[in-house]
């Protein structure tokens, strides 16, 4: 039932975004009673859990606020200078839903959730450093490999420039100290290698079913709308990442993951470490695409050599037996070295992160 999916999404943000939690709980109740939310969500009644219709609903409302077209609701949204009054939030949302029901329905049904969270570049950076050192050791090289980074489900491509970010760890900057985008990764522990070593990315490419052009205002608004509006630190981080992306553009190709990956991995590249990367996209992929992607990667892994190595580096939620049913884990496989590691775990947005290297089983 759609109302249950809204409540599922509300539970995920209860601690970190009281505004989104309150909005979704109220919307779920309105759905059950057949209120205006049911009109806004018409056509989404059969959506599966992984498409998170509740967050698409919240994102559509946030976009109207960011565009300055819902002033009464905007007073609750810190991203435009507001201060949430949770007791009045739904009362102020209802007139907006009534006035813009058709437009909101179009936004909800025509978009997918794309957080494209740049905070995930922090664990990616440490994971890439680890992969380059391990691949060099396997090949008997003194210098680490340059990297060809391939991102599946890249959205706006904000995580395709991890080497262009300044990571400030205990007052020391790694990555690019001169970057306009400074990031505190909030690490507990450290990667198993020295991250101060220069990371060389010689080629970068990404694909997405619905790529976002962050050089446009529409693209900026689209990604910004999916940030929970009372998480100003994430909103500001996203704006900094977009500014960096505009200075260092990397086009994202419209394509399915398996089709694109097969083309990218058709031939191994000597003296380059090829890294396939994805973060929080697995839930959106169909079972058929997942199976095809695994087969394509396995075929490429079989052709990898010590001088043309291949790595898979992912940051995805995995089921656990702990109180929280999911844990976001950074996982690394490296071929032909046979490395399979769980490098650590962290928040869904990549920050904070705890490094704790163990076998990936």
């Amino acid at each position: 039932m759609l109302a249950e999916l809204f409540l599922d999404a509300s539970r995920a943000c209860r601690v970190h975004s009281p505004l989104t939690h309150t909005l979704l709980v109220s919307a779920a109740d309105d759905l059950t009673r057949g209120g205006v939310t049911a009109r806004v969500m018409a056509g989404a009644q059969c959506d599966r859990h992984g498409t998170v219709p509740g967050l698409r609903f919240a994102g559509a409302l946030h976009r109207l606020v960011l565009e300055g077209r819902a002033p009464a609701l905007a007073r609750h949204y810190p991203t435009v200078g507001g201060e949430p009054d949770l007791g009045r939030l739904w009362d102020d949302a209802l007139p907006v839903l009534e006035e813009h029901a058709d437009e909101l329905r179009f936004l909800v049904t025509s978009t997918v959730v794309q957080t494209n969270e740049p905070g995930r570049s922090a664990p990616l950076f440490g994971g890439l450093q680890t992969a380059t050192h391990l691949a060099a050791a396997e090949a008997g090289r003194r210098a680490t490999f340059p990297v060809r980074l391939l991102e599946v489900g890249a959205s706006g491509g904000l995580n395709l420039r991890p080497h262009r970010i300044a990571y400030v760890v205990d007052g020391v900057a790694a990555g690019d100290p001169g970057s306009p985008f400074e990031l505190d990764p909030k690490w507990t522990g450290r990667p198993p290698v020295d991250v101060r070593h220069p990371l060389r990315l010689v080629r970068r490419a990404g694909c997405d079913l619905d790529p976002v052009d962050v050089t446009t205002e529409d693209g900026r608004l689209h990604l910004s709308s999916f940030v929970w509006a009372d998480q100003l630190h994430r909103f500001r981080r996203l704006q900094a990442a977009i500014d960096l992306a505009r200075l260092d553009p990397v086009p994202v190709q419209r394509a399915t993951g398996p089709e694109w990956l097969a083309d990218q991995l058709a031939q191994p590249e000597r003296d380059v470490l090829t890294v396939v990367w994805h973060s929080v996209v697995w839930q959106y992929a169909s079972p058929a695409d997942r199976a095809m992607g695994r087969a394509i990667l396995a075929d490429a892994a079989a052709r990898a050599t010590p001088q043309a190595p291949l790595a898979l580096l992912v940051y995805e939620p995995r089921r656990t037996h702990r109180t929280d049913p999911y844990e976001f884990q950074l996982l690394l496989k490296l071929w032909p070295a046979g490395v399979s590691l769980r490098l650590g775990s962290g928040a869904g947005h990549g920050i904070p992160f705890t490094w704790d290297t163990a076998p990936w089983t």
Side-chain angles (χ1 to χ4, degrees), residues 304-321:
T305 69
Q307 298 304 327
L310 173 69
L312 172 68
L313 184 63
V314 303
Y315 191 65
E316 295 285 354
R318 300 186 78 199
R319 290 188 182 275
T320 69
H321 299 295

Side-chain angles (χ1 to χ4, degrees), residues 17 27 43 62-63 71 85 92 119 143 154 168 175 188 193 202 217-218 220 227 235 299 305 311 347:
S17 179
H62 192 191
R63 173 146 185 165
D85 179 349
D92 287 336
V168 181
T188 298
V193 299
V202 292
E217 182 64 8
D218 180 71
R220 185 187 69 81
V227 175
F235 188 79
D299 182 63
T305 69

